[in-house]
Amino acid sequence: AQTVTQSQPEMSVQEAETVTLSCTYDTSESDYYLFWYKQPPSRQMILVIRQEAYKQQNATENRFSVNFQKAAKSFSLKISDSQLGDAAMYFCAYRSAQTSYDKVIFGPGTSLSVIP
Amino acid sequence: DAGVTQSPTHLIKTRGQQVTLRCSPISGHKSVSWYQQVLGQGPQFIFQYYEKEERGRGNFPDRFSARQFPNYSSELNVNALLLGDSALYLCASSSIAGGRTGELFFGEGSRLTVL
């Protein structure tokens, strides 16, 4: 069974600085997706960035980028120029591309605080 | 366009009661998935329905059931409620299911408290 681990329950960053959130996962599959989701206090889960395992290039979305190390099964999220609105729970997640349904496996989350 | 909508947003039940939660997917989306998020944890997959058929089920007891209607909206039912069922129940929709599915879009959830 696949698992997702986030070893940092809480992180903090100064406004305008850079922070990196860590994630490791375990799978025997070769074709899958990895995601970072943001969940603010409003509760709605929002997709931040996604990475397809067969793509070697790291995904980027504006201030958000990932470091995808497939052999090490590591998938970290870097947030540059942190803003107050980035404060939220961040979940790393995995989904197989080899099944007929969309079971997304979430990690336990990292609570990010942004200090003005 | 409206996003994924869920109702009710909050509800309180007592042990042994039954609850029904509702979800309307984004227009044009045929897949609905349900997740349970216990406080302080990541969401856990309960069900996925696509074209009114169950496509996948997580590790939840038979007290949990769901269905999808012809308009692709969905209901999640939980019978014989336990204190441990207290959680945020999230619904997510997508255009297709499995394989190279596109993005999952989540609703704001239904907060269930069991006393």
Side-chain angles (χ1 to χ4, degrees), chain B:
Chain B
D1 285 343
V4 177
T5 58
Q6 293 186 242
S7 64
T9 54
H10 296 83
L11 68 166
I12 300 173
K13 294 285 188 178
T14 57
R15 282 178 294 176
Q17 285 189 313
Q18 175 264 343
V19 68
T20 298
L21 308 177
R22 297 175 177 81
C23 173
S24 293
I26 291 172
S27 178
H29 284 189
K30 299 180 179 180
S31 168
V32 170
S33 300
W34 287 95
Y35 287 80
Q36 181 196 63
Q37 186 177 17
V38 173
L39 191 64
Q41 298 181 18
Q44 284 195 296
F45 174 77
I46 309 175
F47 287 109
Q48 182 181 27
Y49 276 77
Y50 178 69
E51 290 277 21
K52 301 179 286 293
E53 292 186 356
E54 182 181 304
R55 278 293 190 96
R57 170 186 280 259
N59 188 24
F60 281 81
D62 293 342
R63 299 185 296 107
F64 288 76
S65 63
R67 55 179 175 168
Q68 187 176 33
F69 298 99
N71 66 353
Y72 303 112
S73 67
S74 177
E75 286 182 351
L76 174 69
N77 294 285
V78 186
N79 295 321
L81 285 168
L82 303 174
L83 295 179
D85 295 331
S86 296
L88 179 67
Y89 289 85
L90 295 168
C91 174
S93 78
S94 59
S95 54
I96 59 174
R100 305 217 164 273
T101 302
E103 179 181 348
L104 287 180
F105 294 84
F106 285 85
E108 293 188 359
S110 294
R111 171 76 66 190
L112 170 65
T113 301
V114 182
L115 301 177

Side-chain angles (χ1 to χ4, degrees), chain A residues 31 39 43-44 99-100 102, chain B residues 37 48 55 98 100-101 106:
Chain A
D31 195 6
Q39 188 178 40
R43 311 183 318 199
Q44 187 166 21
T99 61
S100 61
D102 303 321
Chain B
Q37 186 177 17
Q48 182 181 27
R55 278 293 190 96
R100 305 217 164 273
T101 302
F106 285 85

